[in-house]
Amino acid sequence: MSSSVIAADEKKLKAEEGKLKKVFSMIKKMFSKELLWLLFITLTSIPIALIISYVMYRYGSEEMLDIFETLAGDEPTFMVIYIMCAVGIYFSRIVANAIKVQLKNIKKE
């Protein structure tokens, strides 16, 4: 093989290596962003769940409390409310991002 062919192959390899590094950096950025969102949701759900459980036990009717305790089963009601809050916040975030992407697509057209 001639040196020009080898040099061209090396150039292609370096270009591919650069693309691979960009992909890995995007993946790392995405995972770090998701981790921060998970931390935010975890911390935000605690006071929301406390407020909801307080309002439920303070102002809720006996029928509502019985239904909720039936739904919760053996789990503590705070944990069930906490999980519901976390899932609700995360779902809201996903829906908001989907709407944002759709609006960007409409603006481009």
Side-chain angles (χ1 to χ4, degrees):
M1 291 186 123
S2 70
S3 62
S4 63
V5 173
I6 293 174
D9 286 344
E10 285 179 2
K11 205 176 209 183
K12 286 180 185 178
L13 283 175
K14 286 187 180 187
E16 290 297 320
E17 181 183 5
K19 289 178 185 177
L20 208 57
K21 283 183 181 180
K22 284 182 183 179
V23 168
F24 281 137
S25 70
M26 286 189 334
I27 290 172
K28 284 169 44 177
K29 184 178 178 181
M30 182 186 69
F31 275 121
S32 66
K33 190 175 180 181
E34 281 302 312
L35 182 65
L36 288 175
W37 267 107
L38 201 63
L39 180 65
F40 173 76
I41 289 169
T42 303
L43 294 176
T44 307
S45 295
I46 293 171
I48 294 172
L50 285 171
I51 292 169
I52 290 173
S53 62
Y54 172 76
V55 168
M56 258 181 45
Y57 283 105
R58 178 78 174 154
Y59 302 108
S61 66
E62 285 296 319
E63 295 170 351
M64 183 184 76
L65 293 174
D66 289 340
I67 291 170
F68 191 78
E69 287 178 6
T70 302
L71 290 173
D74 295 336
E75 297 296 321
T77 54
F78 172 76
M79 287 301 295
V80 174
I81 294 171
Y82 176 75
I83 292 170
M84 288 170 51
C85 287
V87 169
I89 293 170
Y90 197 76
F91 181 74
S92 300
R93 177 184 166 258
I94 290 172
V95 169
N97 280 340
I99 291 171
K100 183 178 168 182
V101 167
Q102 291 300 320
L103 289 176
K104 279 185 181 178
N105 287 342
I106 290 173
K107 286 182 182 178
K108 286 181 181 178
E109 294 174 355

